[in-house]
Amino acid sequence: AMSVVVTSYVDGKNIPTPEALEQDLKEGLPKCSDPRSAVVAEYLLRGGVRRVVVGHKPSGEAPATFRGAGADGCGFEVISADTNYASESSADKRGASWCEVRIRLASGGGPGSQTRLRGSLADGAGSYDFELPALGRPRGRPSSGDALVGRQTSDGWWIRVLLEAGASSNGGSVDEE
């Protein structure tokens, strides 16, 4: 049997930076697990795990997602999708924010699965409904899904969701693996 224990995959709404993880260790008690850890990704893959979906620690008004190549190049994904405390201005601290994570398995029991993220931002001004690229397929094979969500831009921003009509970008470039 395989056990997976994580403290959290977000540090106040985002995937933690290496510097934040190092500071946690200096303080004596890690508050976040490192989704970029190759050791953890390899361990999970040995147990057949390519995707970790967590809640409990708020990630803001949209899921915090990390996507990597995985130990075998067929993908690894971490999604933290807790929208509690998404809005300081609403009485319930959530506002209009909600999130749904759906995972579709490959038909016929073949390799691969794909995540769909659907929801709304706290202020109600934006909604999202899109898929991430499929996991469990060799790199370079065609796959539908947004290739940018779950990646970090060269200036440190995380691409969290693909907003429906009317979305804008701050223009950073995405770091490739």
Side-chain angles (χ1 to χ4, degrees):
M2 184 175 98
S3 296
V4 178
V5 178
V6 296
T7 51
S8 171
Y9 273 115
V10 293
D11 72 355
K13 300 186 180 181
N14 287 308
I15 299 297
T17 63
E19 295 80 16
L21 291 166
E22 186 176 317
Q23 184 60 38
D24 283 352
L25 289 175
K26 286 180 184 174
E27 292 172 5
L29 180 62
K31 298 179 198 100
C32 293
S33 297
D34 186 358
R36 296 182 187 114
S37 170
V39 172
V40 172
E42 288 172 21
Y43 173 79
L44 292 172
L45 182 59
R46 284 195 305 271
V49 178
R50 294 187 178 282
R51 176 182 297 108
V52 177
V53 180
V54 297
H56 181 62
K57 186 165 183 182
S59 56
E61 63 182 342
T65 303
F66 169 80
R67 289 187 32 258
D72 63 355
C74 294
F76 178 69
E77 206 170 81
V78 175
I79 300 168
S80 180
D82 183 338
T83 60
N84 284 307
Y85 305 106
S87 172
E88 293 297 319
S89 62
S90 67
D92 67 357
K93 301 295 183 208
R94 184 173 286 194
S97 181
W98 62 274
C99 176
E100 176 181 77
V101 179
R102 290 185 178 186
I103 299 168
R104 180 171 36 98
L105 302 177
S107 61
S113 63
Q114 192 164 25
T115 302
R116 176 180 172 192
L117 299 175
R118 186 171 161 256
S120 178
L121 301 181
D123 61 5
S127 60
Y128 51 92
D129 185 357
F130 64 95
E131 291 183 329
L132 297 172
L135 296 179
R137 303 169 76 167
R139 202 174 217 187
R141 282 191 60 196
S143 174
S144 62
D146 190 277
L148 297 179
V149 171
R151 305 287 188 177
Q152 191 172 27
T153 64
S154 58
D155 56 354
W157 291 90
W158 283 93
I159 301 172
R160 295 177 63 132
V161 294
L162 174 64
L163 292 175
E164 293 179 339
S168 64
S169 167
N170 68 1
S173 63
V174 175
D175 294 333
E176 291 296 322
E177 294 177 32

